[in-house]
Amino acid sequence: MHTLRRVVLTVALLNLAYFSVEFAVAIAIGSVSLFADSVDFLEDALINLLIYAALPWSAARRRTVGSVLAFVILIPAVATVWAAVAKAFDPYPPAPLPLTLTAAGALIVNLTAALLLVRHRHHSGSLTKAAWLSARNDAFANVAIIAVGLLTIWFATGWLDIIAGVAIGILNADAARAVWNAARREVDPAP
């Protein structure tokens, strides 16, 4: 339990640190996909801090926290829809190089988090499932953003960025569903 708590705290701090980097770049270049991913980094930091606090709790309390986490995971999806709608009115392309480099940095952070969490992903039910799914899904999202950055070099349109951002939102919504289901199945261990 102590090792898992240390891992989720480390993952929380990594996510919080990269949130500020990615958010600043997203705003500077007007990227929906980086905005969605940066909000997701903040959400991941909060999830991991909550997991850190909740791991010693009973299964019933962890089940409640897992249910709350499912809704927290939806926050980036809602923020992404808002950003995508705003960008759709003026779909200028984000600068490809900062987009690609920032997404590559995010991929490194998320792969590190996923590697730290992989051996704990089945421990304590919905809580560690939430942390693992967030890190795994974020790595997939980063690969998509890198592809958008590279494609934007040849196709100067903001629609690729918007589509990637919406896809990240959908991925977050699916992770919320998985965490909700895991929380519903969480039970106290047999005495």
Side-chain angles (χ1 to χ4, degrees):
M1 178 80 70
H2 179 69
T3 302
L4 176 56
R5 289 187 81 213
R6 188 173 61 245
V7 165
V8 295
L9 183 59
T10 301
V11 169
L13 295 174
L14 281 170
N15 278 284
L16 192 56
Y18 207 75
F19 157 74
S20 59
V21 171
E22 197 170 40
F23 184 78
V25 175
I27 297 302
I29 68 171
S31 171
V32 173
S33 59
L34 281 185
F35 174 81
D37 200 49
S38 71
V39 173
D40 189 63
F41 266 109
L42 181 60
E43 170 250 331
D44 289 349
L46 296 174
I47 283 174
N48 282 283
L49 288 172
L50 189 52
I51 291 168
Y52 176 80
L55 276 172
W57 298 350
S58 71
R61 287 184 73 192
R62 286 193 317 267
R63 183 174 42 250
T64 301
V65 170
S67 299
V68 170
L69 286 177
F71 286 104
V72 170
I73 292 171
L74 285 175
I75 292 170
V78 172
T80 299
V81 169
W82 172 80
V85 168
K87 178 89 177 233
F89 289 107
D90 186 15
Y92 61 90
L97 185 60
L99 177 67
T100 305
L101 292 176
T102 305
L107 179 60
I108 291 168
V109 171
N110 283 315
L111 287 176
T112 301
L115 288 172
L116 289 169
L117 291 165
V118 71
R119 68 184 169 125
H120 302 288
R121 69 183 181 271
H122 300 298
H123 185 280
S124 296
S126 62
L127 298 180
T128 51
K129 185 174 189 90
W132 160 248
L133 284 172
S134 290
R136 184 203 66 185
N137 289 353
D138 294 347
F140 291 141
N142 298 140
V143 170
I145 296 169
I146 290 169
V148 165
L150 295 174
L151 288 170
T152 301
I153 293 170
W154 292 283
F155 305 103
T157 176
W159 287 104
L160 296 170
D161 182 55
I162 292 168
I163 291 166
V166 170
I168 292 167
I170 291 168
L171 197 60
N172 284 332
D174 185 59
R177 181 199 53 77
V179 171
W180 175 266
N181 290 338
R184 298 296 92 210
R185 291 189 304 268
E186 188 131 22
V187 294
D188 285 309

